[in-house]
Amino acid sequence: MKLLFIYIFLFSSSVLWAQEEERRFSLYFENDKAEITQGHITILDSIKKLDNKNKLDVHIKGYTNTVGEEDYNLELSQQRATNVTNKLREF
């Protein structure tokens, strides 16, 4: 079984020191699934605990493997990214 994942990139820059820090988080999905699991929530919760005094730029990218039709995989990757985005907004 190939693991499927979503990358979440967080960029935080401090105005005072003009530093930029990049943090990456990966969420792995079961084959042919887009549901957020308890394991995903644990990772997303760690994002919530970051120091949010500075602006965060969040980049969410959804991926699938190459099994199946291209249109289906595109829809699945978009659904995964949407589910992660919606869960982050709940925090």
Side-chain angles (χ1 to χ4, degrees), residues 1-8 25-41 43-44 60-65 76-85 87:
M1 178 177 75
K2 295 182 182 179
L3 293 177
L4 309 173
F5 56 92
I6 286 189
Y7 284 118
I8 301 173
F25 299 84
S26 296
L27 305 179
Y28 293 89
F29 288 84
E30 292 293 323
N31 191 36
D32 202 31
K33 304 281 185 200
E35 292 81 21
I36 300 293
T37 66
Q38 187 58 45
H40 296 145
I41 291 171
I43 294 169
L44 296 174
I60 299 173
K61 299 179 180 183
Y63 295 93
T64 65
N65 58 24
L76 180 60
S77 66
Q78 289 172 338
Q79 186 60 53
R80 290 173 175 170
T82 298
N83 289 350
V84 169
T85 300
K87 186 55 77 175

Side-chain angles (χ1 to χ4, degrees), residues 52-84:
N52 288 339
K53 288 185 246 179
N54 298 315
K55 178 183 172 190
L56 294 176
D57 292 318
V58 179
H59 302 266
I60 299 173
K61 299 179 180 183
Y63 295 93
T64 65
N65 58 24
T66 58
V67 176
E69 297 293 322
E70 186 176 335
D71 290 341
Y72 176 79
N73 285 337
L74 177 60
E75 184 178 324
L76 180 60
S77 66
Q78 289 172 338
Q79 186 60 53
R80 290 173 175 170
T82 298
N83 289 350
V84 169

